[in-house]
Amino acid sequence: HVQLAESGGGSVQAGGSLRLTCSASGLTRSASCLAWFRQVPGKEREGVAAIGTGGGIHYADSMRGRVTVSQGLSKNSVVLQMDNLEPGDTATYICATRLQLSCGHWPAYKKGTEWGQGTQVTVS
């Protein structure tokens, strides 16, 4: 049973930075995507960034140029560094994992994906 735990959310002023971390436990697949999505009430969940086990990195247009995704220090963890945050970035940021197939193809995450509970990011 896969469990994803996010941390690092909080409140920040516009122009500030936050660093989110997701740790996955119970992951037995040899190759996986670890991804970040975000969601605001009333809107569809949207992809932000993803990284595959082999290191392939993908960014969605929504935050491209302002975020950096990387593998964490511990196995099966992923870090999202967010800079120059804007009020429009206010959302719940959610970690996801799925079999490593087209990690940057965001609609594919509608199936066969495990999701974390999310961490709130508020930019004012």
Side-chain angles (χ1 to χ4, degrees), residues 38-46 90-92 94 120:
R38 65 182 186 179
Q39 189 167 26
V40 297
K43 291 189 176 182
E44 276 198 22
R45 194 169 291 182
E46 66 171 356
T90 295
T92 299
I94 306 164
Q120 179 66 33

Side-chain angles (χ1 to χ4, degrees), residues 57-100:
I57 289 174
H58 309 268
Y59 293 107
D61 291 339
S62 58
M63 297 188 76
R64 188 187 301 272
R66 298 187 294 120
V67 295
T68 303
V69 67
S70 60
Q71 292 176 336
L73 293 178
S74 60
K75 186 180 178 183
N76 294 330
S77 66
V78 60
V79 174
L80 185 70
Q81 175 69 38
M82 304 189 295
D83 300 309
N84 194 22
L85 286 163
E86 304 167 352
D89 296 320
T90 295
T92 299
Y93 285 73
I94 306 164
C95 184
T97 186
R98 63 186 297 270
L99 181 66
Q100 184 172 304

Side-chain angles (χ1 to χ4, degrees), residues 8-44:
S11 297
V12 65
Q13 290 188 336
S17 298
L18 281 173
R19 185 178 177 90
L20 307 182
T21 300
C22 171
S23 297
S25 59
L27 201 57
T28 58
R29 294 188 293 261
S30 59
S32 297
C33 303
L34 281 171
W36 286 97
F37 282 70
R38 65 182 186 179
Q39 189 167 26
V40 297
K43 291 189 176 182
E44 276 198 22

Side-chain angles (χ1 to χ4, degrees), residues 37 98-99 101-113 115:
F37 282 70
R98 63 186 297 270
L99 181 66
L101 289 173
S102 302
C103 293
H105 184 57
W106 313 114
Y109 288 81
K110 292 182 180 179
K111 294 182 179 179
T113 299
W115 300 93

